Amino acid sequence: IPRVLSLDAHGHILNWMHWQDAVCLYVRGAVSWTLGEPCMTVHGGRNRLTGEQSVVELHPIVAARGHANFRSHLPSPALTNPALFARDKQLCLYCGKEYSKHILTRDHVHPISQGGRDTWENVVSSCFRCNSRKGGRTPQQANMPLLAIPYRPSWVEHLILSNRNILADQMAFLKQHLPKHPRGETFVTRKITYTIARIIAGDVDRIELGNLDAKRDWGFSGDYVDAIWRIVQHKEADDFVVATGQ
């Protein structure tokens, strides 16, 4: 059963809504406007006097009356295991194998025992075996390099990743709200995360890496390995620029 994309009256994206909650909005007259063709018809009870049965047609995108406060326009996705596993495509970011959500665990790149924090930028999906092997060490200390750098998804990316049954009208609306020029789009990590969201949205069908016109893409692999090693020594996640200084 598809979920309804809920907005406030000004069109700000809020969250996915179960169809039962959407029906309540319709019945209470709390729907401001809708988008898309009806995606579900809900039949209710019958009027005792007329025998007429109540019918509610749900639309894929529903804007409720009123508006959200400023802070909730683009909320930060809650860090939960299902959301984390969806971000990492249900892959262990140490061995690279795909696992079911029942096998995956949450691993802190910089261990909490060493001052690490439970944040998007410091957690990755890991299979039980790799998590146990790494223990309370950093990837460098355990000689277990990460396959990707953890990141905090945008709210729209989070909505796309968290719903595998998105209707066409909903996807078209969400695609319009993906970052047009995300910060650091030309950097590999951001390019991968942004393109994954576009692949799920059906905008593109592959990831293309390597800009031959950008000199900053070229470099000696040993220098990058050394730079990454220096980066993972930091206790807090941050933005870094790798350069020769020449």
Side-chain angles (χ1 to χ4, degrees), residues 1-158:
I1 298 177
R3 286 184 286 176
V4 175
L5 183 62
S6 65
L7 318 175
D8 69 6
H10 297 298
H12 296 122
I13 299 173
L14 299 180
N15 210 332
W16 295 113
M17 185 189 336
H18 290 290
W19 67 268
Q20 296 97 325
D21 297 324
V23 169
C24 290
L25 290 180
Y26 279 83
V27 173
R28 287 164 31 212
V31 174
S32 179
W33 48 272
T34 62
L35 286 177
E37 296 297 323
C39 60
M40 181 185 298
T41 301
V42 180
H43 298 272
R46 293 185 179 275
N47 187 296
R48 179 179 297 179
L49 298 178
T50 65
E52 182 180 0
Q53 185 178 27
S54 61
V55 176
V56 176
E57 289 190 331
L58 299 182
H59 294 75
I61 303 173
V62 174
R65 298 190 184 280
H67 64 277
N69 51 48
F70 177 78
R71 288 175 177 262
S72 64
H73 285 175
L74 289 175
S76 178
L79 176 54
T80 63
N81 280 355
L84 173 64
F85 301 157
R87 184 201 70 177
D88 294 344
K89 306 293 290 182
Q90 294 199 192
L91 297 175
C92 171
L93 291 194
Y94 292 106
C95 67
K97 297 179 181 179
E98 183 177 358
Y99 294 93
S100 69
K101 61 183 180 180
H102 304 292
I103 304 298
L104 288 172
T105 63
R106 181 190 305 190
D107 175 70
H108 296 85
V109 178
H110 191 87
I112 291 181
S113 61
Q114 296 188 30
R117 300 172 59 191
D118 191 36
T119 61
W120 279 105
E121 296 84 354
N122 190 49
V123 294
V124 295
S125 300
S126 172
C127 66
F128 181 78
R129 181 178 180 182
C130 287
N131 201 338
S132 299
R133 176 187 167 195
K134 176 175 173 286
R137 299 175 293 175
T138 65
Q140 190 275 333
Q141 292 169 342
N143 195 26
M144 297 172 61
L146 279 170
L147 300 180
I149 299 175
Y151 70 98
R152 180 183 299 271
S154 71
W155 183 247
V156 175
E157 288 172 327
H158 168 68

Side-chain angles (χ1 to χ4, degrees), residues 161-195:
L161 291 171
S162 64
N163 188 356
R164 295 301 181 186
N165 193 22
I166 302 178
L167 301 177
D169 291 327
Q170 297 168 339
M171 185 60 78
F173 186 84
L174 290 172
K175 283 167 59 177
Q176 295 177 357
H177 291 79
L178 283 171
K180 301 299 183 183
H181 302 286
R183 179 176 59 86
E185 184 180 343
T186 56
F187 291 97
V188 174
T189 301
R190 191 65 187 97
K191 183 183 292 185
I192 291 174
T193 60
Y194 178 57
T195 308

